[in-house]
Amino acid sequence: MFDYFQKIHIFRRFLLSYVLILIIPLIASFIVYQISVNRIVDNATTSSEKLLKDMISAVDQKNTEIDRFIYQLHYNQEVKQLIHRNALDENLIPYDLYQVRDSIGHYAYTNTLFSRFYIYFNHIDTIITPETTYVRPKDFFERHTYNGMSYEEWNENINQKYYSSYYHPATNVTIKRNYDTGEEVVITYVKSLPLTSGHSSEANVVIMINENEFTSLLNPILTQYNGSVFVYNQSGDILFSNTTTNNVATQHESMESNLDENDEFMHIELTSEQNGWTYVASISKDRLMEDVNHIKTINTVAAFITIFVG
């Protein structure tokens, strides 16, 4: 009888030792796994934020180039002369138009940002581009039609309204060229001249920027993290994004979908100190967690081996 209980006692001690030997490595492995996961996620988040900051800096540089361009037009003597031309001197206006077009022609070839811009002169209701002059702005609109916007809305909200500096959100524009018609996503920048005019607009500089000028700078998020970046202005409107679609309405739907699917995407939000634009990066958790899943697989295999061998 004594031998029986002694054997049970020995068996229990052996079983306890076995369980401890089995559990301790599993617990240690689990702790190492959690520490590794947290560290990888932290490093990935930090890396993503740094990448987003670099992209913000690149976009800010583009904005600075536009500001410099506006200052050059502000100090352009031919532009100044036409802005201040008295209506009594209307016989001189045709020559002024020629001088302005001739003086701004080279800008369209110096930087792709300015490849499509014009100056609208309010007092003579005329548009001057580097290539030609439109004494009827409607002719320009018919060749550059903003989808969902009438001519009257375009002329009033873009050409005639005063803007200290404003980027209209990306919109689809149908552009008629000599031999074909195409559609582009355009960010429209407007700045009123002269810069010292207070809140009145004598002329508006309008730059029709191909969205790709900005979105191409956001592509590292797309390629590295299978994500997207949405850029908002101070009013909360989406200015542009690097989604793969050229349809602006679809881009908005994509953003709303990403924000709703919190289990699939992680969101990083930063604001530019230069202009107050908010950048929201939507990063795929699957891509972010690839290294974590690799460690998880190793940890799981190690656990099964421990149990099986044990």
Side-chain angles (χ1 to χ4, degrees), residues 158-177:
I158 294 180
N159 293 334
Q160 298 175 346
K161 187 176 179 179
Y162 170 80
Y163 291 100
S164 60
S165 179
Y166 190 75
Y167 288 84
H168 288 270
T171 188
N172 295 86
V173 177
T174 301
I175 300 174
K176 294 181 181 179
R177 300 178 179 86

Side-chain angles (χ1 to χ4, degrees), residues 23 31 62 131 165 224 240 243:
I23 289 178
I31 292 173
K62 291 275 189 181
E131 293 83 18
S165 179
Q224 188 168 336
F240 55 90
T243 54

Side-chain angles (χ1 to χ4, degrees), residues 34-268:
Q34 288 299 324
I35 293 174
S36 300
V37 167
N38 292 336
R39 183 163 296 179
I40 290 174
V41 171
D42 289 342
N43 289 341
T45 303
T46 301
S47 176
S48 302
E49 288 182 355
K50 183 180 182 303
L51 184 61
L52 187 58
K53 286 180 181 178
D54 291 341
M55 291 187 293
I56 291 174
S57 178
V59 174
D60 286 347
Q61 180 60 39
K62 291 275 189 181
N63 292 332
T64 300
E65 291 177 26
I66 291 173
D67 290 339
R68 290 172 182 165
F69 172 63
I70 296 297
Y71 275 104
Q72 291 179 38
L73 293 179
H74 169 72
Y75 290 109
N76 182 296
Q77 293 302 315
E78 285 73 22
V79 173
K80 277 186 175 183
Q81 180 171 282
L82 184 54
I83 287 176
H84 297 294
R85 175 66 72 192
N86 193 299
L88 297 176
D89 300 325
E90 62 180 15
N91 291 334
L92 298 174
I93 288 180
Y95 181 66
D96 288 342
L97 296 177
Y98 167 77
Q99 282 192 309
V100 170
R101 183 173 63 83
D102 187 58
S103 69
I104 68 174
H106 66 282
Y107 288 120
Y109 306 100
T110 58
N111 191 321
T112 55
L113 269 175
F114 322 130
S115 61
R116 189 180 291 115
F117 81 94
Y118 64 85
I119 305 175
Y120 172 82
F121 292 88
N122 210 336
H123 64 301
I124 56 174
D125 192 32
T126 298
I127 286 175
I128 301 180
T129 76
E131 293 83 18
T132 189
T133 299
Y134 294 85
V135 294
R136 293 179 66 250
K138 193 169 185 177
D139 292 339
F140 181 90
F141 181 77
E142 288 175 352
R143 296 180 63 88
H144 306 80
T145 304
Y146 283 68
N147 296 4
M149 186 182 296
S150 67
Y151 164 72
E152 289 75 16
E153 291 172 329
W154 168 79
N155 201 33
E156 179 181 351
N157 295 328
I158 294 180
N159 293 334
Q160 298 175 346
K161 187 176 179 179
Y162 170 80
Y163 291 100
S164 60
S165 179
Y166 190 75
Y167 288 84
H168 288 270
T171 188
N172 295 86
V173 177
T174 301
I175 300 174
K176 294 181 181 179
R177 300 178 179 86
N178 292 332
Y179 303 105
D180 65 339
T181 298
E183 191 170 272
E184 290 185 16
V185 180
V186 170
I187 302 165
T188 305
Y189 174 82
V190 189
K191 177 84 170 180
S192 296
L193 295 179
L195 301 180
T196 56
S197 64
H199 292 284
S200 63
S201 173
E202 302 295 334
N204 275 0
V205 179
V206 181
I207 307 175
M208 301 173 64
I209 307 167
N210 188 305
E211 185 190 42
N212 189 57
E213 290 286 340
F214 287 129
T215 58
S216 61
L217 303 175
L218 309 178
N219 285 339
I221 286 286
L222 177 65
T223 56
Q224 188 168 336
Y225 294 106
N226 193 28
S228 55
V229 180
F230 293 81
V231 182
Y232 294 81
N233 61 16
Q234 296 89 331
S235 301
D237 301 315
I238 297 178
L239 286 173
F240 55 90
S241 70
N242 68 333
T243 54
T244 54
T245 175
N246 285 333
N247 186 285
V248 175
T250 306
Q251 291 179 4
H252 287 224
E253 293 174 3
S254 175
M255 180 59 194
E256 292 174 358
S257 174
N258 285 357
L259 288 176
D260 291 338
E261 297 172 358
N262 291 324
D263 292 337
E264 295 184 19
F265 296 92
M266 182 182 75
H267 304 288
I268 300 173

